[in-house]
Amino acid sequence: MLDRLSFPQPWLSLILFTTWQFLSEGISGASVVMGLLLAWLIPQITRGFWPERPAFIKPWRMPMYLLILLWDIVVASFSVARLILSPRKPRPVFVSYPLQVEHPLAISILASTISLTPGTVSADVSDDQKLLLIHTLDAEDDQSVIDAIHNRYEKPLLEMFR
Amino acid sequence: MSTFVEYAISALLVIGGAFTLIGAIGLARLPDFFTRLHGPTKATTLGVGAIMLSSVVYFSSAGHGIGISEILITVFLLMTAPVSANMLAKAAMHMGVKPMENTRGNPWEQ
């Protein structure tokens, strides 16, 4: 009974609560009550989808990671735009990327990062969570794609989730 | 509102519109399903980002406070775009959509 009334993911509850305060027009009694209700209800409903507590070791590295990601999105958008507007055909590749991160949350962050940066979409994770299938829009060879992703995104994630 | 801010807003709107347009052109021009997936998902990322930024600049300079809700909308878009792209790619592989001829590598069977 007490378990039903608790906050199983305190950080998620805190994020939900603050997000709700920003979304409503100014902080009022009603928005605080509604925010608390959502901060309790949503983690309770979704608790089955979180296999274990997220194991962030170094969360302060996240802002730097996001800044690098934003910069890469801008740069890579221009190269994809050039490719779309140029007459030559793209050279798509399906790359099997060997994953070194093991935590499920880290894998999903990496997969989302890959999908967000223009030119690559992560298509699937193998059942044993060792391989990530990536569709690349235009690439010379597989190894350069794998190295770029490993050095730029996977290494910081490995540091964060060790 | 100063002239500089107006120029900044216009520039951001043009950049956002241009990238959204390029994404749409990509959807029409690229040869197969998997390459077409890249056009629209990417247009959302930068195109919508620039349009949202112009909205933030406009409302903060017009004295309505900084537009936190616009930033939240952008964050939500950035969080959901990869998931939908991933689901589309997975569905296509499941149905056995053929990639274009010069694609190297194969989607898995599992």
Side-chain angles (χ1 to χ4, degrees), chain A residues 20-95:
Chain A
W20 187 256
Q21 303 313 314
F22 282 134
L23 278 178
S24 40
E25 296 287 319
I27 298 173
S28 63
S31 77
V32 169
V33 170
M34 194 62 198
L36 278 175
L37 195 66
L38 289 172
W40 168 74
L41 190 66
I42 294 175
Q44 285 287 352
I45 292 174
T46 57
R47 71 190 310 178
F49 297 109
W50 298 86
E52 62 213 67
R53 277 167 194 282
F56 256 115
I57 307 299
K58 294 174 178 165
W60 63 87
R61 282 173 184 264
M62 207 61 198
M64 196 60 213
Y65 181 81
L66 291 178
L67 277 181
I68 292 176
L69 176 59
L70 270 183
W71 176 245
D72 285 0
I73 288 174
V74 174
V75 170
S77 291
F78 278 97
S79 63
V80 169
R82 204 180 310 133
L83 177 78
I84 287 176
L85 296 178
S86 76
R88 79 180 171 86
K89 286 223 162 188
R91 295 160 294 180
V93 193
F94 276 104
V95 181

Side-chain angles (χ1 to χ4, degrees), chain B residues 17-40:
Chain B
F19 270 97
T20 314
L21 178 68
I22 291 171
I25 294 173
L27 188 64
R29 267 207 59 198
L30 290 169
D32 73 341
F33 178 83
F34 291 102
T35 50
R36 275 185 198 146
L37 208 55
H38 293 274

Side-chain angles (χ1 to χ4, degrees), chain B residues 53-78:
Chain B
L53 205 59
S54 73
S55 162
V56 172
V57 174
Y58 174 79
F59 280 108
S60 44
S61 68
H64 292 289
I66 37 170
I68 291 175
S69 40
E70 283 97 334
I71 297 171
L72 282 176
I73 293 170
T74 319
V75 170
F76 290 150
L77 262 174
L78 292 188

Side-chain angles (χ1 to χ4, degrees), chain A residues 84 86 94 122 124 135 139, chain B residues 29 38 86 90 104 108 110:
Chain A
I84 287 176
S86 76
F94 276 104
S122 54
D124 206 355
H135 184 267
Chain B
R29 267 207 59 198
H38 293 274
N86 181 261
K90 241 181 153 162
R104 279 169 296 135
W108 309 321
Q110 67 167 347

